[in-house]
Every structure is written in C-alpha cells, then in structure tokens.
Amino acid sequence: MQHEVIIILDFGSQYTQLIARRVREQGVYCEIHPFHLAADKIAARKPKGVILSGGPSSVTDEDAPRVEAGFYDKIDVPILGICYGMQMVAVDLGGRNEPAMRREYGHAKVKVLSGATRLFDEMPFELDAWMSHGDHVTDVPPGFRKTATTGDVITAMENDERGIYCVQFHPEVAHTPLGKEVLRNFIFRICGCKGDWTPAQFITEEVEKIRQIVGPDDRVVCGLSGGVDSTVAAVLVQEAIGDRQHCIFVNNGLLRYREFEDTLDVYKNNLHLNVTGVDASTEFYKVLADVVDPEKKRKAIGAKFIDVFDTEAKRIGDVKWLVQGTLYPDVIESVSLRGSSVTIKSHHNVGGLPEKMNLKLIEPLRELFKDEVRLIGKDLGIPDEILQRHPFPGPGLGVRILGDITPEKVELLQKADKIFIEELHNFGVYGEVWQAFAVLLPIQSVGVMGDFRTYEKTVAIRAVTSTDGMTADWARLPHDLLAKVSSRITSEVRGINRVVYDISSKPPSTIEWE
C-alpha cells in the first residue's frame, strides 16, 4: 500500500525529528531527508507536502544550506517553511531577510492578522509561540502577504496561489500550545491528507513484507537484549515466519537484577518466542578483568558478544538473515547533512555481525520512532514490563561501574539499582522519568553503622526527564523518595555506606556517566 507522505527537508534544526513525530501523531507518514535532496527525487516519492525545517545557520552566510535552484517551481505540492525555512523562502523568492537587533529566543505573543489565511484558519487571533532565531524577514517576496506578527516583526507569510506557507516560530514544540493546530491545517486543509498511518496497518504490511523477502525455508536469527526495540522486532518477525526465527538472549553478566531470568521467562512463556538463553557472564568477566577505560570496556563487551552470538548461531545452522531493532533516528543520524553520502552505522549489541557471518538484515522498525515502537508493541501484546522499561545501554552495567569490573561490584550495583527502581514504582513516578539508574563510584568514604566505623563504597543515583534522550533534565524527585532510597541502600546493601543524587542536565552532562 502506498501511504500518504510528507517530506521534511532538514536544515540542521534540533527540532527536526520533533516535526516528524508531530506529523505522524496525526496519522500521516513522513520522512526526513537532508536539505540537498534533489527536487526530482522528492517528486518521485509523490509527497502530499514538503516541510522546510529550521536550522542554526544564517541565510545570509556564504555557506548557508539552501535548496537547489528552481526548487519552488519544481515542487508542485504545498510547502511549509519553519524558522530558517521561512527566511530562506523569503530570500530565494525576492524578499529580504536581515539580522535582528537582538536574538529572539523563547516565548512570544503572535498576532494573526485579519483576512483569509489557510494556515491559521479557525484559530484565535493571538497565539503563544516559541521563537528561536537571530534573523528575521523584513520584506515578504512578491505575491506573498504577511499573515502574523510579533510586535513589528513579520512572523508568518503565505502565497496561497503558489502553495507556500511560512512561520517564524516553531509549531512543533510543546511551548507553542496551538502548534499542532497549525500543523494540522497544513497537513489536512492545505495538503489534503486523510491520515492512513496506523500501528495496525503497519503491523499487517510489515508482516507481509517480511514473508515476501524471507524465503519459505530460510532461517533467521535475532539477538534479544531484553529491551523494547529488539523484543518488538522479534515478535513482528515471529508473526511473519513463526519458529523459523531463532532468538538468542545472552547474559553478559552486566544486566539488571534478575533481568536475564525474568525476561527469558517472558520471552518463552508469555510471548512464546523460539529463544535460547545463554549465560556467558563468566566469559565476559574474563575479558573485562582489569579494564578501566570506558571505550575499552565497550569494545571488549562488543567483541565478546559477537563471539558468543556467532557460536550460538552456528549451532542453529544455515542461517541467512539477522533481525535488528534499528529505529528511524538511527537511520536519520547516519545521513550526512552536508554531503550526499549515506552510511548506516552499526546498531545495538550486534554491530559487526552481518560482516562476520555474511547475513542479510531484516530491520522491521527502521521507519519508526521509539514512541511508535511502543504503540506497535502494545498492539502485538507485549507486556508493559518490557514496553515501558527505561532505556539501558548496550554495555549494560559495564559503563555504570566506574573503574574495573568484578562480579562482586556488579552484585552491589544490581542490588542498589533494584532498590531505586522499586521505590520509583512504589511512589508512582517510574513512568514520569525517561531513565533512572544507579552508578557505582570508585570512591570509599567513612561511615558509622551501629557502633562500628565503616569505610565502604559510594553509589550515585540518577533520574532524568526527556522526550527522546537527545537532551535531558534531572528529575525533581520527592525528597521522601530519595530519603527512602538512601536508607534502604545503606541498610540492605552491605558494602555501600553513602548515596548521592546526580542533579546534572544534558547538556552539559551526558545521561550515562561513561
């Protein structure tokens, strides 16, 4: 089935993926491409509309990203320019753009001007909006008229005859409360979309696609991590080809408390996957002995995983396909914004396997964002204990133990982390944070327990709020919760006598410590 599609051209905005998610929330499929995608290639996709994203450049810069010459005449579907996109349209079509006296960043009141305007149809004459720009349009191009202002600044313009509509603010962000309505007007009223992109349809079409590309006797292998992406991918493939898919779930000794046993039970008895659980923790501990550098840890864990997975796959025999839980952000981030080359990076724990094993890839989720994967998973009957699980790094606790890794340290961290997660659930806030975990620090400090002096380890606990993990803010957890977590860890985990809470945001910090 050929779905309606909106094409988004990316000019480097931090919000580009958010535009795509807002469009898809309306039931309309969309794709993100670099700004230099040729008009004829856009036309070949038969889009219903094109959106030009914002970006960090000034349109007056010598090397500013621009669409190809004649672009607006070659595209015969409606165009929406956002922020930088509006400024570029203005300059390209004969208007004027100038540096603002001061950069406008943050909340603004937008006044919609009287008169017919399709983009703001049936909307209030005053809107709260989010601005982020250093230039602004001072003269609209011939044939355009301004449709909204903030003070004396032109905030929106349109040329209905040419089907080009532009806004200086960001309708895709939550700080523009009626931004969804602006996008809806463009998608449905202007582009004429009906909205035919649903999880149920995706499942039906993807199952049929997998059946068509995988031969009737081909064997498929899937590496399960216990997380959302690999689990949803595996269940989708199982819907298509049944037990010809062989799943391998490796315990590297660096998973969360009882995660291997409990998740394996869900895989076998709830989802009825054809899965083999492999406890290779001893092998991983051997290759990690005395390794302190975080990047060396990652490489050691990745290389050992490939060895273990390869050995297990050979036992299955005659495997031709590998399932990976690649998501759309992985694909987008692999595309060069400035150049024309496209390189797909290795993903998850199984990077390197296709080259080593000469396998062809099945990536059933490569068109989806994380929130869409969860919706698909819900329709497939995957339990919330997996679907709502917080993100977990590929190297697992290996990058949450600062310094060398030993089984004893892993056990300490597993117990502390388990207590933290339990209390988040007990206080009803687990679902409010994007990610929460404990980190074992290479620090010992003096403490007192009963009448005895102790000299034991320190654990840091971290919880962040985020929408996509690209940026994150530290979670303002209730003090009672933090007190309970600290009390339980120091009382129940022998070897830890101090708990600290990380209040760093991303940026400047990363979410993980290593």
Side-chain angles (χ1 to χ4, degrees), residues 1-21:
M1 176 181 174
Q2 178 63 47
H3 286 282
E4 302 168 328
V5 62
I6 297 287
I7 297 291
I8 300 171
L9 296 187
D10 182 18
F11 290 85
S13 171
Q14 62 179 317
Y15 300 133
T16 300
Q17 289 191 28
L18 193 52
I19 299 171
R21 288 168 60 192

Side-chain angles (χ1 to χ4, degrees), residues 11 19 57 73 125 180 183 186 212 233 245 278 367 396 413:
F11 290 85
I19 299 171
S57 302
D73 294 322
F125 280 98
K180 287 185 180 181
L183 290 173
F186 178 72
Q212 289 176 2
Q245 173 185 232
V278 182
E367 295 178 341
L413 184 55

Side-chain angles (χ1 to χ4, degrees), residues 477-506:
L477 297 179
H479 288 183
D480 287 351
L481 187 160
L482 294 173
K484 185 71 177 291
V485 170
S486 178
S487 174
R488 283 194 60 192
I489 289 175
T490 53
S491 298
E492 299 175 29
V493 185
R494 187 177 295 274
I496 296 173
N497 69 353
R498 191 176 299 272
V499 178
V500 298
Y501 186 47
D502 182 349
I503 59 169
S504 308
S505 295
K506 176 188 179 183

